Amino acid sequence: MSSRFWADLSNDYEKLFETEIGYDVIIYAGEESDIKEIHAHSNILCIRSKYFRSAFSNDWAEKKDGKFILRKPNISSHLFNIILRFLYCGNIELKNLEGIDILKLLIAVDELNIQPLISHIQEFLIENHNECLHKNPIGILDTIYQHETFTELWKFCLEKICRKPQIFFNSDKFINLKAPLLELLLKRDDLNLSEIEIWESLLKCCFAQQKIVNNPAKWNEDDIIKL
């Protein structure tokens, strides 16, 4: 007969994380104005993530007084603690985080190569925080575009933009859209924009990026060449 006591095991590992008994990793998380020191155990981190196996290898590792030193200024201490709690006991709570913080958490777990969370966080964002796309559609889409593993979020955002393109094309930041992203959108068959609207958007973007006045009467030869 085989018995399983997963809850007890998870609770014990959570206690280990909270008490820091026997820690051999010091993580400096956050930017200079808000750096926090976090303690962890290398064996647990290495078992749970390929990133940490590489980070604590002889080629990468920084050690001081027998402890591994890891510096992550691009991940806040709050988000790092959420990630570590998951690595120790398999628990994660997202409902108290704002949409933008959940996106930052997703970027962090992608960097740390924590595969189970990449899919889970994407699903949570889509189901509970898809309104954050309205606040900064250009910036969010650009962020997602830079991460190949964000496939579910990428598909969701593109489909939503194609259904309601005004959210995207009427944004003040549309002129900052990178050319590859714009090309991807314009090639989609389900983009709900007329050819005239597409053309007007392209001109708006072109004028802004080339710093040309939207008045042909004021164009010089250089402006025409740019266009």
Side-chain angles (χ1 to χ4, degrees):
M1 177 181 176
S2 176
S3 300
R4 299 176 184 271
F5 298 89
W6 298 124
D8 289 342
L9 181 63
S10 177
N11 289 336
D12 287 342
Y13 273 99
E14 188 168 21
K15 289 177 184 177
L16 180 63
F17 169 63
E18 292 174 348
T19 60
E20 304 177 352
I21 296 173
Y23 74 90
D24 64 342
V25 177
I26 299 175
I27 301 168
Y28 294 101
E31 298 179 350
E32 287 188 9
S33 59
D34 191 33
I35 294 177
K36 297 289 176 58
E37 182 176 312
I38 303 172
H39 299 158
H41 303 81
S42 61
N43 286 341
I44 292 175
L45 301 189
C46 289
I47 289 171
R48 299 283 276 153
S49 167
K50 291 180 180 179
Y51 174 89
F52 289 109
R53 286 201 288 275
S54 297
F56 300 144
S57 68
N58 292 331
D59 294 332
W60 281 25
E62 176 187 351
K63 296 192 77 172
K64 183 178 180 181
D65 299 329
K67 291 180 171 58
F68 292 103
I69 307 296
L70 189 64
R71 306 177 193 278
K72 300 302 295 181
N74 58 319
I75 304 176
S76 72
S77 58
H78 177 57
L79 295 183
F80 218 115
N81 271 308
I82 291 174
I83 293 169
L84 288 178
R85 188 173 297 277
F86 170 78
L87 292 178
Y88 273 76
C89 56
N91 296 330
I92 187 164
E93 182 57 73
L94 300 175
K95 66 181 181 181
N96 294 324
L97 293 177
E98 297 292 331
I100 190 63
D101 289 325
I102 296 174
L103 183 59
K104 290 178 181 178
L105 180 64
L106 177 60
I107 293 169
V109 300
D110 181 51
E111 179 181 340
L112 300 178
N113 198 17
I114 304 171
Q115 294 299 319
L117 281 186
I118 293 174
S119 179
H120 175 74
I121 294 174
Q122 287 183 85
E123 291 175 5
F124 186 87
L125 267 173
I126 291 170
E127 293 176 6
N128 299 279
H129 288 277
N130 63 74
E131 77 283 351
C132 70
L133 176 65
H134 293 260
K135 297 179 181 179
N136 183 15
I138 306 297
I140 290 175
L141 190 67
D142 184 50
T143 297
I144 296 170
Y145 178 68
Q146 296 176 43
H147 295 81
E148 294 181 359
T149 58
F150 297 178
T151 52
E152 297 164 58
L153 203 54
W154 172 251
K155 180 181 178 182
F156 171 80
C157 287
L158 284 183
E159 290 177 351
K160 186 162 187 173
I161 288 170
C162 288
R163 285 197 306 270
K164 297 181 179 180
Q166 289 75 19
I167 298 172
F168 193 80
F169 287 89
N170 291 340
S171 168
D172 293 337
K173 296 182 180 179
F174 173 72
I175 58 175
N176 299 322
L177 185 65
K178 295 178 181 177
L181 272 175
L182 181 59
E183 184 178 355
L184 279 170
L185 281 170
L186 296 180
K187 284 183 176 180
R188 288 182 65 95
D189 296 331
D190 56 345
L191 182 61
N192 189 24
L193 274 183
S194 67
E195 291 185 4
I196 292 176
E197 289 174 312
I198 292 174
W199 180 244
E200 288 176 346
S201 297
L202 286 173
L203 286 176
K204 175 184 175 182
C205 188
C206 183
F207 290 147
Q209 291 183 355
Q210 298 297 333
K211 298 180 180 180
I212 298 174
V213 178
N214 188 7
N215 184 348
K218 296 183 179 181
W219 292 353
N220 56 37
E221 185 176 348
D222 289 338
D223 292 335
I224 295 173
I225 292 173
K226 289 178 182 178
L227 291 172

